[in-house]
Amino acid sequence: APGVHITTLPYPELAFYTANAKSFRDIIGISRRNQAVFGETPAGSAPEQIHLVFATANYFPEFGIASARGRLLTPDDERLDAEPVALVGELFWQRRLGGTEVIGETIRVNGKPVRVVGVMPRSAETSAEIWMPLVRQPYAIEGSTLLTDWNSPLDLYGRLRPGVSPKASEQETRALAARLRELRPNDVRQDEYLDARPILHMENNGNEFHIALT
């Protein structure tokens, strides 16, 4: 928006652009800064505070991440009627779960049962212990209104379709933002649009991904 540049969007806007933007092959949303209590494992280990990440399923293939064991999240996991599933980080799997067979096991996140479907490789270089589908944040975190809250920030990434320039995508998102502002005048600023900037490289500070832009 004029005079303001932010790198996050609320989930309702993510859903709107995902449904309507034609310039992008994929739009990816991530909620990184979540704390949760992990415990009540089959081994009966004591609960502990963990770092929990929620992401759209397309995050993994678009960022070139392959599972260390089992599988990654899929679009089927994002259905609201699907069984709650999760990935565990490789280091967390070895430290907390003993590195034993964990695929298909049920763990508890904030007291909620979640089935493990895969192990995130340590090469992904993220401090998160557990990853879940973005739409499952309200399930795992008591009181979350992520899916309807216009103030909950998500990190947003988009993959342009082949042949679509950043400038063309900006023209489209200006038109879409104007349409969205008509629907939600109190939530979308005048002349708001998505500023498309190519990612040059990724680096890691030990806690979370940083994106270097032109």
Side-chain angles (χ1 to χ4, degrees):
V4 179
H5 185 272
I6 61 174
T7 58
T8 61
L9 279 183
Y11 183 87
E13 286 201 52
L14 167 67
F16 175 81
Y17 285 110
T18 298
N20 294 284
K22 307 301 182 186
S23 297
F24 303 97
R25 187 182 77 191
D26 269 308
I27 297 179
I28 302 158
I30 309 170
S31 175
R32 289 192 174 94
R33 300 164 188 85
N34 303 275
Q35 298 296 314
V37 174
F38 173 86
E40 299 182 48
T41 64
S45 300
E48 68 174 277
Q49 197 81 10
I50 61 166
H51 177 196
L52 179 61
V53 170
F54 298 90
T56 50
N58 55 6
Y59 170 85
F60 305 95
E62 290 297 341
F63 280 84
I65 298 172
S67 63
R69 297 176 69 86
R71 65 171 177 85
L72 297 173
L73 303 179
T74 70
D76 284 343
D77 298 322
E78 297 180 296
R79 299 195 328 265
L80 293 177
D81 62 347
E83 177 187 16
V85 298
L87 310 174
V88 295
E90 188 171 12
L91 295 178
F92 179 74
W93 167 60
Q94 293 173 341
R95 174 182 67 81
R96 182 63 195 259
L97 301 174
T100 59
E101 183 54 59
V102 71
I103 307 303
E105 294 291 335
T106 296
I107 59 176
R108 289 190 176 270
V109 178
N110 283 340
K112 303 290 184 64
V114 178
R115 184 169 63 88
V116 177
V117 295
V119 176
M120 278 282 281
R122 69 184 70 192
S123 59
E125 296 188 2
T126 172
S127 64
E129 283 92 2
I130 293 179
W131 293 67
M132 292 182 66
L134 183 59
V135 296
R136 286 300 182 186
Q137 196 199 58
Y139 171 81
I141 298 184
E142 189 81 24
S144 169
T145 57
L146 175 76
L147 302 186
T148 57
D149 186 1
W150 286 76
N151 294 305
S152 294
L154 299 175
D155 293 321
L156 183 73
Y157 305 95
R159 175 79 71 179
L160 290 175
R161 292 188 187 278
V164 176
S165 69
K167 188 64 177 178
S169 75
E170 289 178 10
Q171 291 173 345
E172 182 191 30
T173 60
R174 283 182 187 273
L176 288 175
R179 187 199 311 175
L180 185 58
R181 189 172 187 276
E182 292 178 357
L183 300 172
R184 305 286 305 196
N186 294 328
D187 299 305
V188 180
R189 295 171 183 259
Q190 184 72 37
D191 297 327
E192 182 176 305
Y193 72 102
L194 300 188
D195 181 16
R197 303 184 183 191
I199 297 175
L200 294 182
H201 66 272
M202 297 182 66
E203 63 184 10
N204 178 257
N205 69 354
N207 294 310
E208 60 182 333
F209 288 126
H210 278 212
I211 304 299
L213 306 175
T214 57

